[in-house]
Amino acid sequence: MGRQVQSAILAAAAAVILLSVGFVSVPPVSAHPPSCPEGLDSFTEYRLFFGRNDQDREVVSDAAWRDFLATEITPRFPDGLTVMDAAGQWRDGAGTLIRERSKMVLILAVPGSDGGERVDAIIAAYKDRFDQESVLRVIGNACVAF
């Protein structure tokens, strides 16, 4: 099975698994963000999941990830973001369980800003630099207080 098909299966499976076990509760993103309770502000929330393998070998080392974060992600969102270690897994077309170390990045952007375009640029840079087929992206609305 091609990497593109595997990536599509991974993205769909991850979304279904996360939604079905209750880890993700994301309201649909709308052109009109929801009204937030007093003291909270409306933001668009982007969650990006970066796999670090190509087939069965890791291609994104810790040093390579730190460099990517410093050169591609942080300059696009200098006001802040959160990076978490993650462990991704899915079954390939042959039924083999595939596991890989991953990174999850949480970004909050002002609704209506160019946050989506900046996220698109990050994803394109990651796919190009590390020859990856995809980056899982989850987008939602969030009411936030700092």
Side-chain angles (χ1 to χ4, degrees):
M1 178 180 293
R3 284 182 44 208
Q4 188 171 18
V5 172
Q6 288 176 337
S7 296
I9 292 169
L10 165 65
V16 168
I17 290 168
L18 290 172
L19 288 169
S20 68
V21 297
F23 287 114
V24 177
S25 177
V26 179
V29 176
S30 70
H32 306 287
S35 296
C36 292
E38 187 175 331
L40 298 173
D41 296 311
S42 181
F43 281 84
T44 301
E45 177 182 352
Y46 298 94
R47 278 177 274 163
L48 306 175
F49 297 81
F50 298 88
R52 298 175 64 182
N53 286 9
D54 182 8
Q55 301 297 329
D56 60 349
R57 67 180 181 88
E58 186 174 270
V59 294
V60 184
S61 66
D62 291 339
W65 170 259
R66 285 190 301 273
D67 182 65
F68 183 80
L69 178 64
T71 61
E72 298 290 344
I73 301 176
T74 301
R76 288 185 171 94
F77 291 96
D79 292 335
L81 52 93
T82 300
V83 178
M84 293 172 259
D85 289 321
Q89 70 178 42
W90 70 95
R91 290 203 184 275
D92 68 10
T96 304
L97 185 62
I98 307 295
R99 293 185 174 105
E100 69 178 316
R101 291 191 322 150
S102 303
K103 292 288 186 178
M104 196 278 277
V105 176
L106 173 66
I107 299 168
L108 298 172
V110 175
S113 69
D114 66 346
E117 289 83 12
R118 290 183 282 161
V119 164
D120 289 344
I122 290 166
I123 291 170
Y126 191 80
K127 290 164 55 174
D128 183 57
R129 184 182 296 194
F130 300 113
D131 194 30
Q132 296 290 297
E133 289 290 325
S134 65
V135 172
L136 176 62
R137 168 186 2 203
V138 178
I139 304 172
N141 296 317
C143 292
V144 176
F146 292 97

